[in-house]
Amino acid sequence: MISTWSEWKRYPRPGRGENIEAPISPGIYEVRYVGTGALHSFEAVDNVAQALALLPVGGSRSWFSRRDPAKLPDLEYRTCATSTKADAKAAAQRMIGRREAYLSGAA
């Protein structure tokens, strides 16, 4: 079973004490650049919250392993919980198919 997409939320920036709000269950996540709406990442996973927390978002690292906050992209994310990872993969494939059909028709 597939739920609906959450609202878009700002991706937390290091050092600000912000948290990711996402299901600790199978599902799909989508991350995009705020300024352009361009897709950063999209995936069906076993644990949405964990996947978002481990997502490499870029930025340079110093010798002390801290990211330079000025170089991090401005991102936002949304999530969609599912009952199983198989449901998440099936839903993701349908979404990819619809996106490709739309883009091929728009070209």
Side-chain angles (χ1 to χ4, degrees):
M1 179 161 164
I2 300 166
S3 68
T4 59
W5 282 102
S6 70
E7 295 294 320
W8 287 101
K9 300 170 188 158
R10 289 279 187 174
Y11 196 85
R13 300 190 64 115
R16 293 191 182 175
E18 301 166 336
N19 295 311
I20 291 174
E21 297 174 24
I24 304 173
S25 65
I28 307 165
Y29 69 83
E30 182 175 15
V31 180
R32 69 181 182 184
Y33 294 92
V34 173
T36 62
L39 185 65
H40 177 277
S41 44
F42 173 84
E43 191 173 0
V45 294
D46 284 322
N47 183 322
V48 179
Q50 182 180 31
L52 284 171
L54 297 175
L55 187 69
V57 293
S60 61
R61 290 185 172 253
S62 73
W63 285 19
F64 300 105
S65 297
R66 294 188 183 231
R67 289 191 175 131
D68 180 359
K71 298 207 187 269
L72 291 176
D74 198 12
L75 301 173
E76 60 186 359
Y77 68 97
R78 66 180 180 165
T79 62
C80 180
T82 61
S83 300
T84 65
K85 186 174 180 184
D87 288 345
K89 283 185 170 186
Q93 287 301 318
R94 283 193 305 274
M95 290 175 198
I96 290 168
R98 282 189 293 217
R99 182 175 284 159
E100 288 172 353
Y102 172 78
L103 291 175
S104 67

